[in-house]
Amino acid sequence: MITCLGDVLRPEVGQATVRLLRQLGHEIAFPEDQTCCGQPMFNSGYADLARDQARYTIEVFRDPLPVIVPSGSCAAMIKHEYPHLLEGDSAWHARAEAIAARTSELSD
Protein backbone atom coordinates (compact mmCIF):
# COMPACT_ATOMS: atom_id res chain seq x y z
CA MET A 1 0.00 0.00 0.00
CA ILE A 2 1.44 3.32 -1.02
CA THR A 3 0.50 6.18 1.26
CA CYS A 4 -1.27 9.29 0.00
CA LEU A 5 1.64 11.53 1.01
CA GLY A 6 4.15 9.09 -0.42
CA ASP A 7 2.25 9.00 -3.68
CA VAL A 8 2.20 12.80 -3.95
CA LEU A 9 5.49 13.84 -2.35
CA ARG A 10 7.83 10.85 -2.56
CA PRO A 11 6.65 8.32 -5.16
CA GLU A 12 10.16 6.87 -5.23
CA VAL A 13 9.45 5.36 -1.78
CA GLY A 14 6.70 3.22 -3.27
CA GLN A 15 8.92 2.24 -6.17
CA ALA A 16 11.77 1.32 -3.82
CA THR A 17 9.36 -0.70 -1.67
CA VAL A 18 8.26 -2.72 -4.70
CA ARG A 19 11.89 -3.30 -5.77
CA LEU A 20 12.87 -4.43 -2.26
CA LEU A 21 9.94 -6.82 -1.89
CA ARG A 22 10.58 -8.29 -5.34
CA GLN A 23 14.28 -8.75 -4.52
CA LEU A 24 13.17 -10.68 -1.45
CA GLY A 25 11.13 -12.98 -3.70
CA HIS A 26 7.65 -11.58 -3.12
CA GLU A 27 5.02 -11.17 -5.81
CA ILE A 28 3.42 -7.73 -5.69
CA ALA A 29 -0.27 -6.92 -6.10
CA PHE A 30 -1.01 -3.21 -6.29
CA PRO A 31 -4.70 -2.28 -6.20
CA GLU A 32 -4.92 0.86 -8.32
CA ASP A 33 -8.03 2.08 -6.44
CA GLN A 34 -6.10 2.65 -3.20
CA THR A 35 -5.99 6.22 -1.97
CA CYS A 36 -5.43 7.05 1.70
CA CYS A 37 -5.67 5.23 5.02
CA GLY A 38 -7.83 8.02 6.47
CA GLN A 39 -5.38 9.22 9.06
CA PRO A 40 -5.52 12.90 8.03
CA MET A 41 -9.29 12.91 8.62
CA PHE A 42 -8.96 10.92 11.83
CA ASN A 43 -6.26 13.19 13.26
CA SER A 44 -8.34 16.26 12.38
CA GLY A 45 -11.34 14.98 14.33
CA TYR A 46 -13.45 13.89 11.36
CA ALA A 47 -14.27 10.40 12.60
CA ASP A 48 -17.15 9.91 10.15
CA LEU A 49 -14.93 10.69 7.17
CA ALA A 50 -12.16 8.49 8.58
CA ARG A 51 -14.69 5.68 9.05
CA ASP A 52 -15.82 6.02 5.42
CA GLN A 53 -12.20 5.95 4.28
CA ALA A 54 -11.50 2.88 6.41
CA ARG A 55 -14.41 1.05 4.77
CA TYR A 56 -13.17 2.10 1.35
CA THR A 57 -9.62 0.90 2.06
CA ILE A 58 -10.85 -2.38 3.52
CA GLU A 59 -12.86 -2.97 0.37
CA VAL A 60 -9.94 -2.10 -1.93
CA PHE A 61 -7.73 -4.58 -0.02
CA ARG A 62 -10.43 -7.24 0.28
CA ASP A 63 -8.21 -10.00 -1.14
CA PRO A 64 -6.69 -11.90 1.79
CA LEU A 65 -3.11 -10.92 0.94
CA PRO A 66 -0.61 -9.25 3.27
CA VAL A 67 -0.76 -5.44 3.20
CA ILE A 68 2.72 -3.92 3.44
CA VAL A 69 2.87 -0.20 4.18
CA PRO A 70 6.07 1.89 4.00
CA SER A 71 4.80 4.17 6.78
CA GLY A 72 4.50 3.42 10.47
CA SER A 73 1.66 5.88 11.00
CA CYS A 74 -0.47 4.52 8.15
CA ALA A 75 0.15 0.95 9.27
CA ALA A 76 -0.86 1.94 12.81
CA MET A 77 -4.02 3.57 11.49
CA ILE A 78 -5.06 0.32 9.83
CA LYS A 79 -3.92 -1.97 12.63
CA HIS A 80 -5.16 0.00 15.62
CA GLU A 81 -7.70 2.61 14.58
CA TYR A 82 -9.76 0.75 11.97
CA PRO A 83 -11.07 -1.78 14.49
CA HIS A 84 -11.83 1.05 16.91
CA LEU A 85 -13.58 3.17 14.27
CA LEU A 86 -15.74 0.28 13.10
CA GLU A 87 -16.53 -1.41 16.40
CA GLY A 88 -20.21 -0.38 16.21
CA ASP A 89 -20.81 -2.48 13.07
CA SER A 90 -20.07 -6.16 13.59
CA ALA A 91 -19.54 -7.01 9.91
CA TRP A 92 -17.20 -4.09 9.24
CA HIS A 93 -15.47 -4.57 12.60
CA ALA A 94 -14.65 -8.16 11.65
CA ARG A 95 -13.26 -6.97 8.33
CA ALA A 96 -11.24 -4.27 10.13
CA GLU A 97 -9.78 -6.89 12.47
CA ALA A 98 -8.92 -9.09 9.49
CA ILE A 99 -7.06 -6.37 7.57
CA ALA A 100 -5.33 -5.27 10.78
CA ALA A 101 -4.02 -8.80 11.31
CA ARG A 102 -2.48 -8.95 7.84
CA THR A 103 -1.03 -5.43 7.74
CA SER A 104 2.64 -4.73 8.47
CA GLU A 105 4.87 -1.71 8.27
CA LEU A 106 7.67 -2.37 5.77
CA SER A 107 10.42 -2.44 8.39
CA ASP A 108 8.54 -5.11 10.38
Side-chain angles (χ1 to χ4, degrees):
M1 175 184 184
I2 188 60
T3 67
C4 61
L5 291 177
D7 189 37
V8 173
L9 300 175
R10 299 267 188 218
E12 64 272 13
V13 171
Q15 295 165 348
T17 298
V18 169
R19 275 194 311 274
L20 173 65
L21 292 172
R22 283 184 176 153
Q23 287 175 355
L24 293 172
H26 298 285
E27 185 177 328
I28 306 301
F30 186 88
E32 292 187 23
D33 292 341
Q34 63 183 293
T35 56
C36 174
C37 69
Q39 187 180 52
M41 293 82 97
F42 182 78
N43 288 348
S44 298
Y46 295 101
D48 289 339
L49 292 175
R51 193 173 294 109
D52 291 343
Q53 189 62 41
R55 287 184 186 112
Y56 179 81
T57 300
I58 290 168
E59 185 58 28
V60 168
F61 288 94
R62 65 188 165 275
D63 291 337
L65 301 170
V67 178
I68 308 303
V69 188
S71 164
S73 62
C74 295
M77 180 70 188
I78 295 169
K79 294 177 74 61
H80 302 289
E81 302 304 338
Y82 279 16
H84 173 70
L85 280 169
L86 298 167
E87 65 188 354
D89 181 326
S90 60
W92 278 105
H93 184 260
R95 292 180 74 182
E97 291 282 348
I99 195 172
R102 58 190 175 84
T103 297
S104 297
E105 200 277 330
L106 177 62
S107 66
D108 287 345

